[in-house]
C-alpha cells in the first residue's frame, strides 16, 4: 500500500512539474498566436527562431556570457573549495557558512548590491560588458563550491598524502590526484552555472549594457510588446532549452554511473 501511494504521489508531482512544459512544447509546433486555441501543425516558430537576426544575436550573446562566466566561476569555485577543504577546521567553519549566504540571499538584493558596487563605487563602465560578466561569475561561484565540496569529502585523502610522500609537489598532487577524483563535481557545477546564467534576470538587468539582451531579459521585454511572431518563436526556444537540459542530465548521470561501476570493479580487483 505504501509503495502504491508513493508511486501515485510521484506521478502527480511529475504531472504538475512537466505538464506546463509539455503544453508549451505542443504549442511551439502549431501556428497558434495565443495560448488557448490550437490550430494546425507548423514549424514556423522554429524557422523564425533561427532566421530572425535579432534572435540569433540574442542567443549567441547569451551562450557566450553563460559559458564564459561558468568557466570563470568554475575555476574560482573549485579552487576555493579545495583551499577551504585543506585549510583545516577554521576555514570550514568560516567560509562554509559565508558561502551559503549568497545562495539563499534574495537575488534582487545581490543585483542592487552589484549595481552599486561595480557601477556606482568602482566606476565600471556598464557598456563594457565587464560588469555583467563579473555579476554572473559572483552569482555562480558559490554553487560551484557546493558542487565540489561533497566530492572532496568522498574522495580517499590518503592518495593525496601518498603522492606527497612519493615526491610530488602540492600542485602536481592536486592536478594528478585530487582533480580527477572531484572532476564529476566540477562538471556538475559547470553545468549548473551555465543554467543559472541562462535563467538569471535581476543581476543581468541591473548590470548589462543597454544594447545587450540575454534570453531572460529578452523574453520579459518581448512579452510586454506586440510582436506575436517573436513571442511564439520564444515558445520554440524554451522547448529547445528544456530538451537540451534533459539530454545533458541524462548523459551526465549515465557517465557518472559508469564511472562509479568502473571504480567499484577496480576496487574489487585490487582486493
Amino acid at each position: 500500500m505504501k509503495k502504491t501511494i508513493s508511486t501515485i504521489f510521484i506521478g502527480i508531482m511529475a504531472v504538475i512539474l512537466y505538464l506546463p512544459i509539455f503544453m508549451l512544447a505542443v504549442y511551439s509546433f502549431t501556428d497558434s498566436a495565443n495560448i488557448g486555441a490550437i490550430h494546425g501543425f507548423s514549424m514556423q516558430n522554429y524557422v523564425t527562431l533561427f532566421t530572425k537576426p535579432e534572435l540569433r544575436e540574442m542567443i549567441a550573446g547569451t551562450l557566450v556570457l553563460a559559458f564564459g562566466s561558468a568557466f570563470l566561476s568554475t575555476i574560482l569555485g573549485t579552487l576555493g573549495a579545495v583551499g577551504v577543504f585543506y585549510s583545516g577546521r577554521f576555514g570550514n567553519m568560516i567560509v562554509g557558512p559565508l558561502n551559503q549566504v549568497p545562495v539563499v540571499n534574495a537575488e534582487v538584493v545581490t543585483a542592487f548590491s552589484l549595481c552599486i558596487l561595480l557601477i556606482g563605487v568602482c566606476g565600471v563602465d556598464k557598456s563594457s560588458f565587464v560588469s555583467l560578466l563579473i555579476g554572473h561569475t559572483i552569482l555562480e561561484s558559490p554553487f560551484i563550491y557546493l558542487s565540489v565540496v561533497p566530492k572532496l569529502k568522498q574522495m580517499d585523502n590518503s592518495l593525496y598524502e601518498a603522492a606527497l610522500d612519493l615526491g610530488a609537489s602540492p600542485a602536481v598532487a592536486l592536478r594528478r590526484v585530487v582533480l580527477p577524483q572531484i572532476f564529476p563535481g566540477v562538471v556538475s557545477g559547470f553545468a549548473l552555472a551555465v543554467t543559472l546564467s541562462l535563467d538569471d534576470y535581476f543581476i543581468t538587468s541591473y548590470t548589462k549594457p543597454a544594447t545587450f539582451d540575454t534570453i531572460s531579459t529578452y523574453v520579459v521585454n518581448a512579452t510586454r510588446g506586440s510582436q506575436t511572431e517573436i513571442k511564439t518563436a520564444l515558445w520554440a526556444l524554451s522547448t529547445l532549452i528544456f530538451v537540451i537540459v534533459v539530454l545533458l542530465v541524462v548523459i551526465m548521470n549515465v557517465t557518472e554511473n559508469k564511472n562509479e561501476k568502473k571504480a567499484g570493479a577496480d576496487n574489487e580487483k585490487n582486493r
Side-chain angles (χ1 to χ4, degrees), residues 175-197:
R175 187 176 71 253
R176 295 189 177 183
V177 178
V178 176
L179 286 182
Q181 295 187 76
I182 65 173
F183 188 71
V186 175
V187 173
S188 299
F190 180 84
L192 178 59
V194 172
T195 304
L196 288 169
S197 179

Side-chain angles (χ1 to χ4, degrees), residues 9-21:
F9 177 76
I10 293 173
I12 293 173
M13 293 303 299
V15 170
I16 293 174
L17 289 173
Y18 293 104
L19 182 60
I21 301 175

Side-chain angles (χ1 to χ4, degrees), residues 106-112 199-208 216-217:
E107 192 175 321
V108 67
V109 176
T110 304
F112 278 131
D199 183 61
D200 177 73
Y201 173 75
F202 286 107
I203 291 177
T204 303
S205 61
Y206 281 100
T207 58
K208 74 179 184 69
S216 59
T217 58

